[in-house]
Amino acid sequence: MKHTSINFPLLLIVSGAIALLGYWGFTRLHIDTDIVKTLPTQERVITDALEIFRNHPIFDQVAVDVSIDRKDPDLLVACGKRLAEIMRVSGLFAEVGANDVGALVPELALRVAGTLPLLFSHEELETIAPRLAEEAIRQRLQSVVEGLSGLEGIGQAAFFSLDPLGFKDQILAKLIHLAPSQQVTFYKGHLLSQDGRHLLVTARPTTAGTDGETARKLAAFFSEAGQTLSTDFAPAGIRVTLTPAGAFRAALDNETIIDHDVQLALGVSVAAIALLLLLAFPRPLVGLLCLFPVLAGSAIALFIYSLFNASISVMVLGFAGALISILNDHSITYLLFLDRPHATRGGQVAKEVRSIGQNMAVLTAIGAFLVISLSDFPIYRELGQFTALGLTCTYLCIHLILPRIFKTMPASSNRALPLQKVADRLFRTGKTGAAAALALAVALLFFAKPEFRISLSEMSTVSKKTQADDRMFTEVWGNIGAKVYLMTTAASMADLQATNDRLLARIEQDMRAGRVQSVFVPSMLLPGAERSRDNLAAWQAFWTTERVSQVKTTLIREGAALGLTAEAFVPFFAQLDSPDLIEPPVFDSRYNQLLGITTGKEGRLIQFTPLSAGKKYNAAAFFETYGQDGKIFDANYFSDRLGAILFSTFVNLLVAIAVMVSVLVFLQFLNWRLTLITVTPLVFAFICTLGTLKLIGHPLDIPALMLSVVILGIGADFAILTVRGCQWYGTVDHPGHLLVRSAVFMAAASNFIGFGVLCFAQHASLKSIGISSLLGIGYALLGAFLLLPPLLRAFFREGDSPLAPTAPFEQRILHRYRLLEPYSRMFARFKLKFDPLFAELPQWLDGSKEIRTIVDIGCGYGVPACWCLERFPASKVIGLDPAPDRVRVATRATGTRGTILVGAAPDLPDLADPADLILLLDMSHFLDDRQLIATCTRCQGLLAPGGLLLLRFVTRPEGSRSATWHFEDWRARRCGQKTWYRRPEVLQRMLTEAGLVELHLDAAINRELFWLSGRRPGAPAT
């Protein structure tokens, strides 16, 4: 770094400002850990599921499994009560326990027994007919009387009077479908497992359990509560185990794991990339400077992002390590070209790296991420927007700030750089490497069919203990995902009952058809007016006079035999004799929690109806039928639809990015063959990535899809820089192209580090991103280094071949520019087509002696020089221009017959042979009088006797001037050039003073231009 001109004040100011912006942006953003929010919101199946997730109490509940090491229901209930007491006083829960719900069950059973005529449909009444046989009634009465005589019969007399035959049991049995598992029982108001060793306590936290702070408080609370219970029941020799479950555990695990992974990714990525940079640059400290624009761009992007967004997904932050490697690509390229064996200037280097394709590479990468930001998936949008911002800010920092901080860089030492040697050796594998790459692609093509794995649970990575606890919960209490949930809403209880009546009628049809296996709808216990009327009519039709008489007689006779009087059956007989007096039950809000009913934020009633699918269940048809009245969550169908959406998103993004990349590449090259060559490594990378993922058993999941199509955007950088560098330097063997491929190799190595670290992440999502992206980036590099060299050599070798002399004149000129970048080609094409220069030149040159040596002062891109070379086949051209870029183009265009030098009049080079023709076309107005006179004098000395000096010059015409004149004048002033527009007679005088004779002046087709020629005195040599 010795003798390097560094603007340290600017460096310190920029560093401080960037640190402030990054801190400000980070503190403004909320880190969102909710994986559910990554899902799209424009698909009905998904929006229904999200709405149910937000409203169903079970999705925000905390469930605690209390277990003891022996079967003792009473002791287990005591443990449950103690835990509920601790939970209530903690202040962390808005509601605790289901004791009130358990107490309501006997009351509800009594109501059911008193409204039997309103609860049975025609089909259900047919199922109770066997119970009316004399033998069935005798057995039922004997069983009831035996029960009434024991302790378990206390309080059962009221039920017996209303329902001696136990019809209510058939109705109440439907409540079992509300339980998470049908293998649980209620005991003293508590939910116990079948083995009597587990008790379930449920509670609703005061704040959402997915909030990170709340999750930490809940975890700490249950740890302390477990210790308290163990202490309380230790004297009795009881070992109590608490196993909490709920969204808070997944949220806490995700936050902990991702925090670990983010720190790992950032720490290891920065350290490893820093080591890479130290080893890859002639001056190691210069290599470390690559991280400056990366960190600056990331900080600025974070700040800008925070201005338009309140939160950012933790998944996007987890991508930070990989993002640093992506942003580092362009920084590496700039500083590699700055740190060279000769002195460099920051501004010139910035221009050079833009010229070799960095503009195109950045634009392609930004475009790829912007296309992703158009996805329906919120996390795709966040990732696309943030990364596009990061790329843009980093690029601007490289080209606007770095050239001002590092103004000059002295020549570097000849330090051995192993990475450059590796890159060069890989690049020079030639046809052997290309054949190996093609063979690999063909082999993997058979496996390159995308396979998707759609699982929200796999996106949410939890600890092994949480996984084990979840498995235990599923075994003991059932799996919520095994049922289909239907959510309906209503403004009032009456409306809800009416809705339930219609819903139940429809579901009963599906149950008969085998589409639904089991269900519970509140109208089964508390029907509305419509359902009550229908059931009452069926009851009246079922209980004919003969059937009523037979049942009464049997009950009285068999009851008397058991010591029961006829008065014991009077309430039941009343329901048989005068059911028309029964009023529909009033829907009491106390039953809401038991029946799956909650109140929404706007006061509307929300009801959740769980059902089990039958053998003929069709999810799509079910959604079509029931989706009109409510929202549905079917875990299997949800996954299927999400998979279809992901596949559609994958295909759409793939097509969009492929088209975008192809269009951008074509617009940059304006050559369809170069475009195909550039996209070849991307096709290779895509085939090989999909094939390898299939072979290693890693299907495309939601996280992998984030990056699978971005490979086209990131991997395109490698191909673009390689192809454009070859186009800029003219051959892959140019020394400048060694820097290009070294930059590409180092960028790929940086990406390997960034994505490779994610492969060791604990979180499944980040690990998936790392694996798929690592493969994609690796194959993109192999494609660029193995496939492109033979293709580029063939393309440029063919393009270097001149056209036959019989080809059209203009086509021969344009062919000289065929291998150059689009601007040069278009400039030559439009100049030949629209500049009258070439229509007027023949009249000044035809009839002249044989022209062999031509000097073109201010040759620009060399179009007039090439015109002369084609016009005079035996000629050669010496060109002069102050702009190195124009000299480069003119040198390529004139080929072996041209010598183009960087310079400006009047400092003209000495010539080996006198010039037969010197051209000063449209450049004299950039010289002041002294310079122009000196130039003309120098030209007179360079001309052979009789040699021709030909000028076309611009004047400042009187009156209005053309738009072209104003544009050229504005462009000159914008570049800091002064102009001196002269009248024709002034120029004639200057040529005369320079010793030129036979002056000829003529107006050009354009009235703002004039032609002037003069010759050196003396006869031409023969």
Side-chain angles (χ1 to χ4, degrees):
M1 302 293 291
K2 187 177 180 181
H3 306 305
T4 302
S5 176
I6 299 179
N7 190 337
F8 285 104
L10 180 59
L11 178 60
L12 292 176
I13 292 172
V14 170
S15 300
I18 289 170
L20 180 62
L21 288 176
Y23 175 77
W24 193 0
F26 187 79
T27 55
R28 285 170 54 89
L29 288 170
H30 167 70
I31 310 303
D32 194 348
T33 60
D34 191 352
I35 302 299
V36 172
K37 293 182 180 179
T38 64
L39 301 179
T41 56
Q42 297 181 357
E43 168 72 21
R44 172 67 189 275
V45 174
I46 295 177
T47 54
D48 279 13
L50 295 179
E51 187 69 17
I52 291 177
F53 290 165
R54 282 190 290 268
N55 289 280
H56 200 302
I58 198 169
F59 290 104
D60 196 36
Q61 273 187 347
V62 172
V64 187
D65 177 272
V66 183
S67 62
I68 58 177
D69 55 354
R70 67 187 64 175
K71 186 174 182 180
D72 190 335
D74 292 319
L75 193 55
L76 189 58
V77 167
C79 293
K81 288 182 177 180
R82 176 63 177 137
L83 175 62
E85 178 185 344
I86 298 173
M87 293 172 70
R88 289 191 181 95
V89 300
S90 69
L92 294 175
F93 304 94
E95 295 178 359
V96 178
N99 286 339
D100 294 338
V101 172
L104 288 174
V105 173
E107 179 182 334
L108 183 61
L110 189 61
R111 296 192 60 170
V112 168
T115 56
L116 292 176
L118 307 182
L119 303 181
F120 287 89
S121 65
H122 174 74
E123 292 79 3
E124 290 172 322
L125 285 169
E126 294 299 327
T127 64
I128 68 173
R131 297 188 183 188
L132 305 182
E134 291 186 3
E135 182 60 28
I137 292 175
R138 181 182 303 110
Q139 292 179 2
R140 167 66 183 177
L141 290 180
Q142 288 177 349
S143 175
V144 171
V145 170
E146 290 174 0
L148 289 174
S149 63
L151 291 177
E152 67 274 15
I154 298 175
Q156 299 298 313
F159 289 115
F160 180 76
S161 298
L162 289 169
D163 182 23
L165 299 181
F167 294 155
K168 74 175 189 323
D169 297 337
Q170 185 169 332
I171 301 297
L172 292 174
K174 299 174 182 179
L175 282 172
I176 194 63
H177 301 303
L178 288 174
S181 171
Q182 296 185 13
Q183 304 300 318
V184 299
T185 58
F186 271 107
Y187 181 76
K188 294 185 177 181
H190 291 268
L191 195 64
L192 270 62
S193 63
Q194 188 178 30
D195 62 4
R197 294 176 178 269
H198 297 265
L199 179 144
L200 189 66
V201 177
T202 59
R204 181 170 60 86
T206 53
T207 56
T210 53
D211 176 73
E213 184 63 26
T214 300
R216 285 188 288 273
K217 290 180 180 179
L218 290 174
F221 166 79
F222 284 115
S223 176
E224 295 177 2
Q227 295 176 5
T228 301
L229 284 178
S230 297
T231 302
D232 291 348
F233 289 90
I238 303 298
R239 188 176 64 204
V240 183
T241 303
L242 296 188
T243 307
F248 82 95
R249 292 194 65 175
L252 185 60
D253 285 350
N254 272 274
E255 182 176 335
T256 303
I257 292 173
I258 290 182
D259 181 64
H260 166 270
D261 290 344
V262 168
Q263 292 184 26
L264 173 70
L266 287 174
V268 175
S269 294
V270 171
I273 291 174
L275 179 61
L276 171 71
L277 298 176
L278 286 172
L279 297 175
F281 278 78
R283 280 171 284 215
L285 292 181
V286 174
L288 287 181
L289 293 175
C290 289
L291 294 175
F292 174 76
V294 173
L295 298 177
S298 302
I300 296 171
L302 191 66
F303 172 73
I304 296 175
Y305 186 88
S306 71
L307 297 178
F308 301 96
N309 299 274
S311 64
I312 187 170
S313 173
V314 71
M315 295 290 295
V316 177
L317 289 183
F319 185 61
L323 176 61
I324 287 177
S325 69
I326 294 173
L327 301 180
N328 201 38
D329 294 357
H330 310 291
S331 183
I332 287 173
T333 303
Y334 174 83
L335 287 173
L336 263 181
F337 276 78
L338 187 68
D339 192 20
R340 297 164 87 167
H342 57 80
T344 56
R345 297 183 63 85
Q348 293 175 346
V349 169
K351 184 177 181 180
E352 184 176 2
V353 296
R354 290 197 298 269
S355 300
I356 64 168
Q358 192 174 76
N359 279 355
M360 189 195 316
V362 170
L363 185 62
T364 303
I366 290 174
F369 280 101
L370 286 180
V371 169
I372 279 191
S373 69
L374 301 177
S375 167
D376 291 337
F377 284 74
I379 194 169
Y380 283 17
R381 291 198 296 269
E382 289 186 20
L383 179 66
Q385 292 169 5
F386 183 68
T387 309
L389 271 176
L391 284 166
T392 303
C393 294
T394 301
Y395 178 78
L396 292 176
C397 180
I398 290 172
H399 291 278
L400 297 181
I401 298 178
L402 284 190
R404 289 168 171 80
I405 294 177
F406 309 103
K407 294 182 179 180
T408 61
M409 184 72 68
S412 65
S413 62
N414 293 322
R415 178 189 175 202
L417 300 174
L419 288 180
Q420 287 193 5
K421 293 181 179 179
V422 172
D424 190 52
R425 184 170 298 179
L426 182 63
F427 195 82
R428 294 183 180 278
T429 53
K431 294 181 180 180
T432 302
L438 288 175
L440 177 64
V442 171
L444 292 176
L445 180 62
F446 295 98
F447 304 94
K449 181 181 179 181
E451 181 179 338
F452 300 94
R453 177 175 60 202
I454 311 305
S455 174
L456 288 181
S457 61
E458 292 185 8
M459 282 188 66
S460 177
T461 301
V462 294
S463 65
K464 292 183 179 180
K465 177 170 175 49
T466 300
Q467 294 176 23
D469 291 347
D470 287 345
R471 286 194 295 270
M472 184 275 291
F473 253 88
T474 299
E475 294 172 0
V476 175
W477 305 109
N479 183 7
I480 186 175
K483 292 188 177 182
V484 178
Y485 286 82
L486 173 63
M487 186 181 88
T488 53
T489 61
S492 65
M493 286 293 186
D495 290 342
L496 187 60
Q497 282 185 289
T499 299
N500 285 335
D501 288 350
R502 294 191 298 272
L503 177 64
L504 180 56
R506 188 183 302 166
I507 289 180
E508 285 175 335
Q509 296 178 4
D510 286 337
M511 292 180 70
R512 289 192 291 270
R515 292 186 285 269
V516 176
Q517 179 181 358
S518 61
V519 70
F520 175 80
V521 181
S523 284
M524 292 176 171
L525 275 68
L526 303 168
E530 182 178 354
R531 178 82 178 186
S532 296
R533 285 194 299 269
D534 293 343
N535 287 349
L536 181 59
W539 180 274
Q540 292 173 334
F542 178 80
W543 290 104
T544 62
T545 304
E546 293 78 7
R547 180 169 284 170
V548 171
S549 177
Q550 180 262 326
V551 169
K552 285 184 178 181
T553 301
T554 304
L555 279 173
I556 293 173
R557 183 182 68 248
E558 297 299 329
L562 295 171
L564 299 175
T565 63
E567 287 75 12
F569 305 107
V570 170
F572 176 65
F573 292 160
Q575 295 193 77
L576 300 182
D577 293 334
S578 55
D580 54 319
L581 301 178
I582 299 177
E583 294 292 333
V586 178
F587 208 123
D588 196 323
S589 60
R590 291 183 302 148
Y591 301 124
N592 284 1
Q593 186 177 355
L594 175 64
L595 302 179
I597 300 171
T598 62
T599 303
K601 295 180 180 179
E602 299 178 357
R604 291 183 63 84
L605 296 173
I606 302 174
Q607 176 182 290
F608 297 93
T609 303
L611 59 90
S612 299
K615 294 182 179 180
K616 296 183 179 180
Y617 172 79
N618 181 282
F622 187 86
F623 266 79
E624 182 68 24
T625 302
Y626 292 90
Q628 302 173 4
D629 300 324
K631 300 185 181 300
I632 303 167
F633 174 68
D634 178 342
N636 294 329
Y637 189 56
F638 176 84
S639 295
D640 292 342
R641 285 301 304 149
L642 187 56
I645 295 169
L646 280 172
F647 181 78
S648 175
T649 300
F650 172 78
V651 172
N652 292 338
L653 288 177
L654 174 62
V655 171
I657 294 179
V659 170
M660 183 272 300
V661 169
S662 300
V663 169
L664 287 177
V665 170
F666 178 78
L667 290 177
Q668 292 289 333
F669 286 120
L670 291 181
N671 185 301
W672 66 268
R673 293 181 64 185
L674 273 182
T675 300
L676 290 179
I677 289 174
T678 304
V679 301
T680 296
L682 306 183
V683 177
F684 168 81
F686 206 77
I687 292 173
C688 293
T689 299
L690 290 178
T692 304
L693 287 175
K694 176 73 173 180
L695 287 177
I696 65 176
H698 186 86
L700 287 171
D701 52 13
I702 295 177
L705 281 171
M706 292 181 195
L707 272 299
S708 60
V709 290
V710 179
I711 292 169
L712 291 176
I714 301 174
D717 292 359
F718 306 155
I720 289 171
L721 288 173
T722 303
V723 176
R724 186 57 180 270
C726 182
Q727 187 182 46
W728 180 262
Y729 295 114
T731 173
V732 294
D733 298 317
H734 190 281
H737 200 272
L738 175 61
L739 275 180
V740 173
R741 52 184 178 262
S742 297
V744 170
F745 187 82
M746 287 180 58
S750 175
N751 291 337
F752 256 65
I753 292 172
F755 288 107
V757 171
L758 293 182
C759 294
F760 299 97
Q762 296 179 16
H763 199 282
S765 297
L766 298 180
K767 186 174 183 177
S768 178
I769 289 175
I771 293 173
S772 58
S773 300
L774 188 67
L775 288 173
I777 297 298
Y779 283 126
L781 177 67
L782 283 179
F785 273 51
L786 299 182
L787 295 176
L788 288 183
L791 294 175
L792 291 174
R793 292 181 191 278
F795 177 83
F796 282 89
R797 183 170 54 249
E798 177 187 344
D800 272 342
S801 303
L803 290 181
T806 56
F809 182 72
E810 183 176 313
Q811 186 176 340
R812 297 203 308 270
I813 297 173
L814 293 177
H815 184 76
R816 291 175 171 272
Y817 292 85
R818 177 176 176 270
L819 300 180
L820 290 164
E821 57 275 8
Y823 178 81
S824 303
R825 300 202 312 273
M826 292 302 102
F827 179 87
R829 180 177 298 277
F830 283 102
K831 189 168 183 65
L832 284 172
K833 186 175 183 63
F834 296 108
D835 194 337
L837 168 76
F838 304 101
E840 297 173 314
L841 265 178
Q843 68 183 11
W844 294 93
L845 300 181
D846 286 352
S848 300
K849 72 175 184 69
E850 185 177 4
I851 297 177
R852 292 183 177 274
T853 302
I854 302 168
V855 177
D856 188 359
I857 302 173
C859 64
Y861 290 107
V863 181
C866 291
W867 185 92
C868 292
L869 291 176
E870 294 298 335
R871 187 80 175 188
F872 306 106
S875 66
K876 62 180 180 179
V877 170
I878 296 94
L880 192 72
D881 197 275
D885 183 45
R886 293 199 290 264
V887 169
R888 179 191 62 84
V889 173
T891 299
R892 295 272 303 280
T894 55
T896 57
R897 292 171 60 192
T899 302
I900 313 298
L901 306 173
V902 177
D907 299 325
L908 305 182
D910 295 327
L911 302 180
D913 300 309
D916 300 308
L917 173 65
I918 297 180
L919 300 174
L920 283 83
L921 304 176
D922 304 337
M923 52 76 62
S924 62
H925 58 289
F926 295 122
L927 304 176
D928 60 23
D929 290 348
R930 181 191 62 79
Q931 291 172 326
L932 184 55
I933 292 174
T935 299
C936 293
T937 303
R938 175 66 171 151
C939 288
Q940 195 270 353
L942 294 176
L943 282 170
L948 180 67
L949 174 66
L950 183 61
L951 294 86
R952 190 176 75 163
F953 59 94
V954 184
T955 64
R956 180 184 282 112
E958 301 294 335
S960 62
R961 304 180 183 97
S962 68
T964 303
W965 190 96
H966 283 291
F967 174 76
E968 292 295 335
D969 184 67
W970 169 82
R971 189 175 66 170
R973 287 186 282 105
R974 180 176 174 272
C975 295
Q977 294 176 311
K978 292 184 178 181
T979 54
W980 291 268
Y981 299 102
R982 300 176 178 89
R983 298 181 61 80
E985 56 270 21
V986 174
L987 276 170
Q988 284 180 307
R989 185 181 71 250
M990 288 182 174
L991 262 62
T992 300
E993 293 176 358
L996 294 168
V997 297
E998 300 182 30
L999 302 185
H1000 291 282
L1001 176 71
D1002 198 1
I1005 295 175
N1006 185 336
R1007 67 182 183 88
E1008 297 163 346
L1009 299 173
F1010 284 86
W1011 288 93
L1012 179 61
S1013 69
R1015 293 185 180 274
R1016 179 176 178 177
T1022 58

